[in-house]
């Protein structure tokens, strides 16, 4: 870890100011000299590993007073960015009206981490790619743009089969973001010119030719809240992983359905553990919408979700696995009692 | 009695709580890096980013500018150290690759520089700023990598003396009615003990104190002295508690002498706390292995021919091997046995002991093959073991001192509910989950080594036991205290035990599961010396032999005690002796120990006897392990909701600590089968998942139910304590049991560990 200044801010304006002050105009956010500290569960790790080297840490935890509310309403849900994962997962209304959200949080990380980690920090969690996290590898386009990708032909069992580029195949590791993107969540972003709202789907950027740029957030900007309209009681988060708890997804599916008399009126499908960003499977949704649900349809939907997938040496299994996870999540959502 | 403290059966001690329980759960137990030091400097290691090649140069400017940096030590300015031979060649070292000696790099993560600074943070920051230019050569990573060399183990590893065999394998296999040929693979694994590989070195004049978690303080003391070129009496190793060892702390690693040398030069205590990922490359590991098993049997299941070929990876420098054929060739009655072990040299650090080093990979192969044979014979796998059970090992025709293998199978089968198993693969399920039941035998050699002890008894019954044994989490303090209390007849709470200090009487390495047998036998002997002195003081010579038989010393008239076998009045005895304290020192060695045993013991050399090396007998502990696996039809996730093991290990000193050891072993065995593997990037021979988020070990949710059954067993042929080592018994059979259960659940035979969901085809 390298030396850094530490500043604790008590209001959003001060936070934005502190974060903007140290930021160079053309910095990638992840390389910005000033970094916000919420739960710290990713940032501190990466600083110890020398992957992130901020010179200023802006502790935004005092903003929790205004930014951690959990507000379920009749028309939708608003979640403050500094709400703790554990508090949201345990919220009775969330469990009843948004099981996909509660489960995506409950199945993530460990109890200790969920008690520390915030929702805003969670969606900003960075990849677990071993080569990204090990600075003794020079070739990581995400860390050192233009240096190559050690994972491409390395040990890549955990890597992405969707949304990859020839620059980067690092997997987006989180779970909660799949629920958000599936439910068409909006994200509120606080910056120098106040607060703006945008679809959560526009937050993360696929690696393309610039894997070092992971989100559309600009230095100085902070996520302040997430909002979702409507209720989604018929929703499921299914996560396949190597061990029973405290482990990242090899493949996961966030599914939310509106089913009437066996016909799927609306369908939302998002995939985790298999893509470089939170992944909405819109082609798969199109196959499902308006159809009578049966197992054959579930299979066609799953095939559509992975139509563009590309496996590499160790991760090809994720394509077949991902399809089975999608199909099973759909079956579970259709048959769940609500 | 509770599940954690099982009711003692015949030939078992009491399940008393751990001697060190309160200290550990309240954080008062001091591990090596907890030891307070006076004004220490902090060391941080820089390790190589290549596995083979040379260092061209360092750029240290940036690093040296970090405030608080005192020195940066590289091969260009490192203290000169003498070489130590590999432990198996009469030395102390776990590797002969000595870092900081030259610009050469022999393996990934080799120590190439040590930054010394006023704080840990400054040392780490400066280490991050060290720039290194290498000339890299393409390394050979593992099996099948270009450039490896392969040769028979026999002849290159001094401890691997023979490829055991008997009869005519080829002829018998050719004629056998039922034949099986199968190949098995096991992965690289790392110990990852909770305590990191810390070392602190403090010089006082010419005397060095080392605080380091070690499984062998006498070995480390003598090894570091040898490397520094000083008298071993000037070196003291201290570690009252060790945060797990599992073999990783059994032999000396290069880091210790390096830190000692730098501390001497700077004339200042130095504390090194390496990171978790550095632990993967600065110590040893379990190397990957490959096996081919051939079994020939008649239709009734009687084994006629067995051949086990094993191949193991080692470093270019050292011919380490585990050679588990010594066990697999002798486990079952089979008249025609052949075996061969070879070593494949790659550009890797030297591997080393890891919990049940030979048995884990080699029994995975044999016990999987036995299950495959049972399937071929359409026979219950337990019955196949029963048909081939034996009281005499087939290679040398020596009798087992005791062998409760089938009793373990029967007890465990009953507790597990094996009778409810429908034998057909894919025939059991529960909702989304396919269910499989599997079982396997487990065994581990019973080993002992010379040990000394000093015991001091006060008039008021307070007792002090001193022995340079090791508390690696097993319960050594507890069973030693119990032994002394029982032998001297004093209350347990009056016994204080001092261990983990090389200034105390020597004990052997805490390895090979020999500790309890060796240290308790020594403590028993020395307690008897005390009893002899006391009895001699108050009794006629003709009665002193009673001292050997009478249990305990307590408040009773001496003559009466002698006549009636009742205990002796301790205060009268002390009065008669005219002293306030009786102290005895003694050196114990097992039967069959070599002539140089005690000399070797003091110079930190291990002389293990037991297992198959005994002259007229063979001694092993046995067990049987049963598992239920569940495989999700959709995700193919593999879970293991139930593990049941029954074990017989001679006298059980403490059913609580024994159960804990065996339970940990079963869990580790499951982990080894389903989770643990160190991934190697074959392009550069570097470890990839070198952290505890990516190197998976089970969490609580992975082990809902573990049942340990302790069988009553008495064995008077092994050691005075009657103890067979248990520590390494339970994690042996589990690998095969899991794969056997997976076959039952799915019909699919998996011969490569660990088994992951992508290996399942449902």
């Amino acid at each position: 870890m390298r030396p850094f200044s530490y500043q604790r801010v008590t209001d959003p304006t001060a936070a934005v100011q502190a974060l903007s002050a140290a930021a160079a105009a053309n910095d990638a956010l992840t390389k910005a000299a000033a970094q916000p500290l919420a739960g710290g569960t990713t940032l501190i790790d990466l600083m110890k590993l020398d992957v992130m080297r901020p010179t200023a840490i802006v502790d935004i935890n005092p903003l929790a007073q205004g930014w951690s509310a959990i507000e379920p309403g009749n028309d939708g849900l608003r979640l403050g960015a500094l709400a703790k994962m554990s508090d949201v997962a345990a919220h009775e209304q969330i469990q009843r009206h948004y099981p996909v959200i509660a489960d995506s949080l409950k199945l993530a990380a460990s109890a200790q981490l969920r008690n520390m980690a915030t929702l805003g920090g969670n969606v900003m969690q960075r990849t677990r790619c071993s080569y990204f996290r090990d600075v003794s590898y020079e070739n990581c386009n995400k860390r050192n743009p233009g240096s190559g990708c050690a994972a491409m032909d390395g040990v890549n069992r955990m890597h992405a089969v969707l949304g990859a580029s020839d620059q980067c195949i690092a997997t987006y590791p989180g779970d909660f973001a799949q629920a958000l993107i599936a439910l068409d969540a909006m994200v509120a972003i606080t910056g120098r010119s106040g607060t703006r709202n945008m679809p959560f789907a526009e937050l993360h950027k696929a690696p393309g030719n610039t894997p070092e740029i992971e989100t559309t957030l600009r230095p100085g900007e902070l996520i302040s809240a997430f909002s979702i309209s409507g209720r989604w009681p018929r929703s499921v988060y299914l996560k396949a992983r190597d061990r029973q708890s405290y482990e990242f997804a090899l493949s996961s599916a966030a599914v939310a359905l509106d089913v009437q008399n066996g016909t799927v009126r609306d369908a939302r499908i998002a995939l985790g553990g298999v893509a470089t960003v939170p992944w909405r499977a819109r082609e798969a949704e199109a196959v499902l919408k308006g159809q009578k649900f049966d197992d054959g349809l579930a299979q066609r939907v799953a095939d559509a979700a992975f139509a563009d997938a590309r496996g590499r040496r160790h991760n090809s299994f994720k394509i077949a696995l991902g399809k089975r996870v999608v199909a099973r999540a759909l079956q579970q959502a259709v048959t769940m009692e609500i | 009695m509770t599940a954690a403290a099982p009711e003692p059966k015949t030939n078992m001690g009491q399940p008393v709580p751990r001697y060190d329980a309160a200290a550990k759960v309240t954080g008062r137990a001091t591990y090596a890096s907890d030891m307070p030091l006076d004004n220490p400097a902090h060391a941080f290691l820089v390790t190589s980013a290549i596995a083979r090649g040379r260092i061209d140069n360092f750029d240290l400017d940036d690093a040296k500018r970090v405030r608080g940096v005192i020195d940066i030590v590289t091969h260009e300015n490192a203290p000169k150290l003498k070489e130590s031979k590999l432990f198996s060649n009469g030395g102390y070292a776990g590797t002969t690759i000595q870092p900081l000696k030259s610009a050469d790099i022999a393996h990934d993560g080799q120590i190439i520089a040590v930054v010394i600074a006023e704080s840990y943070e400054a040392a780490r920051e400066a280490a991050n700023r060290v720039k290194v230019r290498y000339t890299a050569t393409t390394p050979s990573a593992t099996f099948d990598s270009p450039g490896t060399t392969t040769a028979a183990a026999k002849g290159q590893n001094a401890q691997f003396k023979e490829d055991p065999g008997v009869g005519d394998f080829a002829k018998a296999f050719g004629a056998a009615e039922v034949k099986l040929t199968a190949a098995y693979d096991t992965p690289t694994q790392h110990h990852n003990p909770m305590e990191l590989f810390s070392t602190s070195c403090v010089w006082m004049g010419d005397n060095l104190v080392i605080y380091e978690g070690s499984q062998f303080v006498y070995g480390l003391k003598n090894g570091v002295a040898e490397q520094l070129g000083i008298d071993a009496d000037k070196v003291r190793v201290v570690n009252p508690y060790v945060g797990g060892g599992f073999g990783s702390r059994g032999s000396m690693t290069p880091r210790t002498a390096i830190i000692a040398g730098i501390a001497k030069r700077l004339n200042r205590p130095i504390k090194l706390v390496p990171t978790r990922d550095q632990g993967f490359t600065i110590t040893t590991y379990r190397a990957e292995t490959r096996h081919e098993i051939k079994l020939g049997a008649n239709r009734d299941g009687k084994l006629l021919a067995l051949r086990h070929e094993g191949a193991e990876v080692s470093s270019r420098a050292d011919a380490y091997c585990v050679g588990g054929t010594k066990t697999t060739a002798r486990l079952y009655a089979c008249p025609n046995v052949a075996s061969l072990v070879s070593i494949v040299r790659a550009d890797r650090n030297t591997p080393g002991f890891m919990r049940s080093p030979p048995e884990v990979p080699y029994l995975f192969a044999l016990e999987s093959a036995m299950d495959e044979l049972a399937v071929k014979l359409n026979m219950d796998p337990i019955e196949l073991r029963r048909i081939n059970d034996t009281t005499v090992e087939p290679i040398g025709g020596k009798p087992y001192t005791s062998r409760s293998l089938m009793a373990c199978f029967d007890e465990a089968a009953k507790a597990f509910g094996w009778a409810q198993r429908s034998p057909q693969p894919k025939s059991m399920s529960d909702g989304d989950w396919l269910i499989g039941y599997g079982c396997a035998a487990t065994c581990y050699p019973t080993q002992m080594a010379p040990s000394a002890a000093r015991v001091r008894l006060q008039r008021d019954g307070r007792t002090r036991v001193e022995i340079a044994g090791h508390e690696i989490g097993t319960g050594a303090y507890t069973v030693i205290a119990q032994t002394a209390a029982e032998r001297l007849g004093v209350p347990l709470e009056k016994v204080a035990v001092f261990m983990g200090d090389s200034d105390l009487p020597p004990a052997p390495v805490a390895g090979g599961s020999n500790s309890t047998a060796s240290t308790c036998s020594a403590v028993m002997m020395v307690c008897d010396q005390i009893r002899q002195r006391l009895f001699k003081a108050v009794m006629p010579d003709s009665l002193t032999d009673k001292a050997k038989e009478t249990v305990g010393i307590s408040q009773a008239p001496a003559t009466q005690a002698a006549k009636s076998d009742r205990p002796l009045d301790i205060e009268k005895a002390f009065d008669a002796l005219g002293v306030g304290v009786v102290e005895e020192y003694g050196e114990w060695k097992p039967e069959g120990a070599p002539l140089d045993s005690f000399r070797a013991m003091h110079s930190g050399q291990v002389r293990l006897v037991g297992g198959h090396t005994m002259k007229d007998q063979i001694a092993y502990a046995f067990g049987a392990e049963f598992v239920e696996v569940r495989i999700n039809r959709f995700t193919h996730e593999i879970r293991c909701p139930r593990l049941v093991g029954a074990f017989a290990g001679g006298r059980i000193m403490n059913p609580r600590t024994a159960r804990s050891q065996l339970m940990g072993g079963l869990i580790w065995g499951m982990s080894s089968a389903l989770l643990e593997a160190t991934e190697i990037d074959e392009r550069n021979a570097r470890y990839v998942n070198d952290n505890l988020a990516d190197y998976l070990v089970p969490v609580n949710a992975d082990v809902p139910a573990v049942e340990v059954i302790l069988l009553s067993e008495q064995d008077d042929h092994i050691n005075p304590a009657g103890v067979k080592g248990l520590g390494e018994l339970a994690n042996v059979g589990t690998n095969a049991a899991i794969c056997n259960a997976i076959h039952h659940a799915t019909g699919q035979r998996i011969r490569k560990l660990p088994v992951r969901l992508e290996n399942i085809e449902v």
Side-chain angles (χ1 to χ4, degrees):
Chain A
M1 199 180 284
R2 302 183 181 218
F4 55 88
S5 68
Y6 172 85
Q7 181 185 356
R8 198 170 162 87
V9 290
T10 51
D11 67 83
T13 315
V16 168
Q17 261 174 8
L19 288 165
S20 311
N26 55 354
D27 263 354
L29 179 76
T30 50
K31 293 251 183 189
Q35 292 288 337
L37 175 76
T41 57
T42 292
L43 177 66
I44 305 299
D45 263 11
L46 291 174
M47 287 169 68
K48 283 189 192 168
L49 294 172
D50 211 31
V51 172
M52 290 183 76
R53 303 167 182 179
T55 55
I57 293 295
V58 180
D59 184 346
I60 58 169
N61 282 295
L63 308 189
Q65 284 208 328
W67 282 13
S68 62
I70 303 169
E71 298 169 294
N74 289 332
D75 308 327
L77 169 68
R78 191 170 187 282
L79 298 168
L82 289 178
K84 299 288 187 188
M85 291 171 74
S86 51
D87 290 335
V88 181
H91 198 283
E92 192 269 333
Q93 298 276 316
I94 310 282
Q95 289 175 353
R96 190 186 322 164
H97 301 305
Y98 306 93
V100 66
I101 289 180
D103 286 352
S104 71
L105 291 166
K106 194 177 71 187
L107 297 175
S110 66
Q112 293 89 336
L113 286 164
R114 294 193 294 270
N115 286 338
M116 285 297 288
T118 64
L119 298 188
N122 178 270
V123 303
M124 297 297 286
Q125 183 180 5
R126 305 193 68 193
T127 185
R128 297 289 313 182
C129 172
S130 313
Y131 301 97
F132 166 73
R133 291 171 64 88
D134 184 346
V135 294
S136 74
Y137 281 89
E138 274 175 27
N139 42 344
C140 171
N141 288 324
K142 197 180 268 302
R143 248 189 305 109
N144 302 324
S147 63
C149 173
M152 204 71 71
D153 298 310
V155 176
N156 50 31
R157 176 174 183 262
M158 299 299 288
H159 286 73
V161 296
L162 288 166
S165 69
D166 56 7
Q167 303 286 307
C168 183
I169 58 169
T171 306
Y172 172 76
D175 295 296
F176 174 54
Q178 274 68 252
L180 289 175
I181 201 167
L183 302 185
D184 276 338
M186 298 291 289
V187 56
I189 295 162
T190 300
R192 265 170 287 194
S193 44
T195 297
R196 65 188 172 103
N197 281 284
M198 72 173 184
F200 180 77
E202 292 172 16
L203 180 65
H204 291 85
K205 295 190 67 170
N209 288 322
T210 53
E212 74 279 14
I213 300 172
E214 296 174 353
T215 67
T216 53
L217 285 188
R218 293 183 288 265
E221 288 189 324
L222 285 167
I223 297 173
S224 47
F226 305 95
S227 56
I228 288 154
S229 47
R231 285 175 170 173
W232 292 91
R234 188 176 292 285
S235 64
V236 163
Y237 189 73
L238 181 62
K239 180 175 180 179
R241 46 184 167 170
D242 283 321
R243 64 183 170 195
Q244 184 64 18
S245 179
Y246 193 12
E247 174 57 349
F248 296 94
L250 288 167
S251 171
S252 70
V255 165
L257 302 179
D258 178 3
V259 182
Q260 307 245 327
N261 303 321
T263 300
V264 180
R265 287 160 47 108
D266 195 1
R268 309 291 181 77
I269 302 170
L271 310 177
V274 292
T276 53
V277 288
W279 191 263
R280 180 81 176 264
R282 292 186 190 276
E283 298 81 358
E285 293 171 5
V287 175
L288 184 57
K289 273 186 213 169
Q291 304 295 312
K292 279 267 187 217
F293 187 83
D294 60 30
D295 290 352
L297 178 64
Q299 189 55 55
R300 290 195 299 281
V301 172
D303 288 343
F306 284 87
D308 295 331
R310 182 176 165 217
R312 303 195 70 90
R313 184 168 173 202
H314 304 111
N315 68 355
S316 293
F317 73 93
K318 283 187 174 183
I319 299 172
L321 170 65
K323 290 179 185 179
R324 292 194 307 268
V325 167
V326 167
R328 186 59 183 154
L330 290 170
Q331 288 165 349
Q332 287 181 352
V334 166
T335 55
M336 72 191 289
E337 307 254 335
I338 58 170
Chain B
M1 295 293 152
T2 63
E7 185 83 47
K9 300 173 185 164
T10 306
N11 202 28
M12 294 188 191
Q14 289 300 312
V16 301
R18 280 174 193 266
Y19 178 89
D20 43 348
K24 280 186 171 167
V25 298
T26 55
R28 281 182 289 115
T30 42
Y31 294 84
S33 63
D34 299 328
M35 292 295 182
L37 305 177
D38 185 13
N39 188 31
H42 295 264
F44 197 91
L45 303 176
V46 180
T47 56
S48 66
I50 64 167
R52 185 181 183 184
R54 284 181 62 80
I55 297 163
D56 293 334
N57 58 59
F58 286 99
D59 176 355
L60 303 177
D61 292 350
D62 201 15
K64 282 182 173 165
R65 273 197 291 271
V66 172
R67 197 169 63 176
V69 169
I70 297 166
D71 197 4
I72 300 177
V73 179
T74 70
H75 67 275
E76 288 161 353
N77 60 350
K80 294 279 173 274
L81 299 170
K82 297 192 164 52
E83 286 175 16
S84 179
K85 285 184 282 195
L86 203 67
F87 66 89
S88 53
N89 292 331
Y92 303 96
T95 176
T96 62
I97 300 166
Q98 184 61 44
L100 303 185
K101 207 174 106 182
S102 75
D104 294 336
I105 306 286
H107 64 86
D108 170 37
Q110 180 177 316
I111 298 170
I112 55 171
V114 185
V115 178
I116 310 293
E118 296 291 343
S119 71
Y120 174 82
E121 291 74 17
R124 187 169 191 175
E125 188 198 349
N128 283 335
R129 292 177 185 273
V130 168
K131 295 183 194 75
V132 192
R133 234 181 45 216
Y134 304 99
T135 298
T137 318
T138 303
S140 309
T142 180
F143 293 123
D144 302 335
S145 300
T148 55
T149 58
T150 303
K154 190 179 163 182
Q156 51 173 334
N157 178 310
Q159 288 187 343
F160 189 88
K161 296 192 176 78
E162 56 151 5
D163 284 303
V166 69
D168 186 341
F169 165 80
K171 192 173 158 201
F173 185 73
E177 289 172 309
V178 182
K179 291 177 198 168
L180 174 84
T181 300
Y184 304 89
D185 286 29
T186 66
T188 314
Q189 295 180 336
H190 278 80
H191 317 76
N192 281 309
M194 286 286 277
E195 184 187 6
L196 295 166
F197 292 101
S198 310
T199 296
S200 294
C201 289
V202 184
W203 288 89
M204 280 166 284
D206 290 339
N207 290 285
L208 169 66
V209 179
I210 300 166
Y211 300 105
E212 177 179 315
S214 166
Q215 292 171 252
F216 193 21
V217 290
Y218 265 74
L220 187 58
K221 158 193 159 124
N222 282 278
V224 171
E226 182 179 78
Q227 283 209 273
L228 295 173
I230 62 174
D231 190 333
D233 283 349
K234 297 198 179 302
V235 180
R236 180 180 175 198
V237 177
V238 178
N239 60 7
Y241 297 98
V242 181
F246 316 116
S248 64
R249 307 182 203 272
S251 48
M252 178 175 67
T253 72
R255 73 184 193 275
T256 315
I258 290 171
I259 295 299
I262 298 171
K264 177 84 178 170
R265 180 194 287 174
L266 296 179
N267 192 25
R268 191 166 165 188
I270 294 185
K271 177 171 175 172
L272 166 73
V273 182
T275 58
R276 177 61 63 188
D277 62 300
Q278 290 173 342
F280 277 73
T281 62
I282 65 168
T283 66
T284 64
Y285 59 97
R286 193 196 295 285
E288 56 273 36
T289 68
R290 285 181 172 177
H291 307 261
E292 187 191 74
I293 300 256
K294 284 182 186 289
L295 295 178
N298 69 19
R299 288 256 166 247
D300 299 333
K302 193 92 195 95
L303 281 178
L304 304 170
L306 182 160
R307 180 177 168 85
H308 192 164
E309 281 190 45
E312 309 176 21
V313 164
S314 190
S315 63
R316 299 273 186 204
D318 300 310
Y320 179 84
C321 83
V322 299
T325 47
K326 62 189 163 209
T327 295
T328 54
R330 295 178 169 90
L331 182 54
Y332 294 113
C334 181
N336 302 288
V337 178
S339 67
L340 178 66
V341 172
S342 12
I343 302 177
V344 175
R345 306 289 194 100
D347 295 299
R348 299 274 294 281
N349 194 9
T350 305
F353 323 110
M354 185 161 153
R355 202 173 187 177
S356 347
E359 282 73 23
V360 162
Y362 282 75
L363 250 78
F364 164 62
L366 179 62
E367 285 299 288
S368 294
M370 287 295 279
D371 198 75
E372 295 202 47
L373 182 62
V375 171
K376 277 198 173 213
L377 291 162
N378 198 21
M379 180 180 279
D380 185 290
I382 303 174
E383 292 316 302
L384 180 62
R385 268 86 173 190
R386 200 184 309 280
I387 287 165
N388 293 291
D389 191 28
T390 181
T391 55
V392 177
E393 59 89 7
I395 305 298
K398 293 187 284 191
Y400 279 94
T401 57
S402 60
R403 174 166 161 133
S404 306
L405 176 64
M406 293 321 298
C408 289
F409 264 111
D410 293 340
E411 287 273 332
K414 200 167 73 184
F416 181 81
W418 183 256
Q420 275 84 58
R421 175 185 190 253
S422 106
Q424 206 54 37
K426 295 178 85 163
S427 62
M428 294 171 70
S429 64
D430 176 12
D432 285 2
W433 298 87
L434 302 173
I435 295 175
Y437 289 180
C439 66
T442 196
C443 69
Y444 194 78
T446 297
Q447 301 185 110
M448 290 73 63
S451 178
R454 187 183 298 117
V455 180
R456 168 192 165 112
L457 175 69
Q458 290 183 199
R459 189 188 166 92
D460 62 4
R462 276 190 288 167
T463 304
R464 178 187 174 97
V465 181
E466 297 182 347
I467 181 165
H470 310 85
E471 178 54 69
I472 54 175
T474 49
Y477 279 114
T478 315
V479 297
I480 288 173
Q482 283 180 277
T483 300
E486 188 178 302
R487 211 65 179 180
L488 294 175
V490 300
L492 183 62
E493 53 277 14
K494 286 201 171 181
V495 181
V497 181
F498 293 82
M499 294 200 306
D501 183 341
S502 66
D503 273 4
L504 301 175
V509 61
S513 293
N514 87 89
S515 275
T516 303
S518 308
T519 60
C520 290
S521 291
V523 169
M524 282 169 65
M525 188 193 81
V526 177
C527 288
D528 284 351
Q529 291 170 202
I530 290 181
R531 285 150 43 111
Q532 286 280 342
R533 271 181 67 185
L534 294 174
F535 274 85
K536 272 185 183 159
V538 292
M539 269 181 236
D541 283 352
S542 60
L543 288 176
T544 50
D545 278 353
K546 287 281 182 199
K548 275 194 176 156
E549 294 146 30
T550 313
V551 175
I553 311 163
S554 68
Q555 309 297 324
T559 46
Q560 193 187 337
K563 277 182 194 150
S564 65
D565 287 358
R566 277 173 53 195
L568 155 105
D569 184 327
I570 184 172
E571 299 209 358
K572 281 216 169 80
F574 270 92
D575 287 344
L577 275 173
V579 297
V581 164
V582 177
E583 183 171 292
E584 284 287 325
Y585 168 88
E587 297 181 344
W588 173 85
K589 65 176 178 179
E591 245 176 77
L595 284 175
D596 73 343
S597 281
F598 287 137
R599 186 172 55 80
M601 173 178 81
H602 284 279
S603 57
Q605 305 261 335
V606 191
R607 296 286 183 270
L608 279 179
V609 300
H612 74 282
T613 66
M614 296 165 81
K615 193 158 164 272
D616 301 318
Q617 302 177 94
I618 176 169
Y620 270 75
F622 290 93
E625 303 186 353
F626 287 69
V627 303
E628 176 183 329
V629 299
R630 291 184 164 227
I631 294 172
N632 189 289
R633 294 175 198 278
F634 302 96
T635 63
H636 298 182
E637 286 166 300
I638 311 159
R639 300 290 183 254
C640 182
R642 283 201 301 143
L643 294 154
V644 176
F647 306 95
R651 178 168 171 80
I652 302 298
M653 305 300 280
N654 179 331
R656 181 197 298 263
T657 56
R659 171 185 176 269
S660 176
Q661 278 283 287
L662 294 162
M663 180 169 64
L666 284 168
I667 295 170
W668 191 344
M670 182 275 280
S671 175
S672 168
L674 297 177
L675 299 173
E676 286 187 49
T678 309
E679 308 285 355
I680 303 165
D681 190 325
E682 288 173 19
R683 300 169 301 178
N684 53 31
R686 301 192 65 194
Y687 296 135
V688 177
N689 55 336
D690 52 1
N691 61 76
L692 283 179
D694 298 322
Y695 183 96
L696 299 184
V697 295
V699 295
N700 273 317
D702 290 306
V703 276
V706 187
E707 184 179 353
V708 171
I709 300 161
L710 297 167
L711 263 68
S712 186
E713 185 183 69
Q714 180 151 351
D715 190 328
D716 298 326
H717 309 289
I718 39 181
N719 52 64
V723 164
K724 294 177 173 179
L726 286 178
E728 295 170 87
L729 178 58
N731 65 320
V732 172
T734 335
N735 293 287
I738 297 258
C739 286
N740 299 343
I742 290 172
H743 178 263
H744 181 232
T746 64
Q748 192 186 347
R749 181 62 63 177
I750 298 182
R751 304 185 179 90
K752 185 174 178 180
L753 299 179
V755 188
R756 291 189 163 142
L757 61 78
E758 61 264 38
N759 307 124
I760 302 288
E761 297 152 12
V762 178

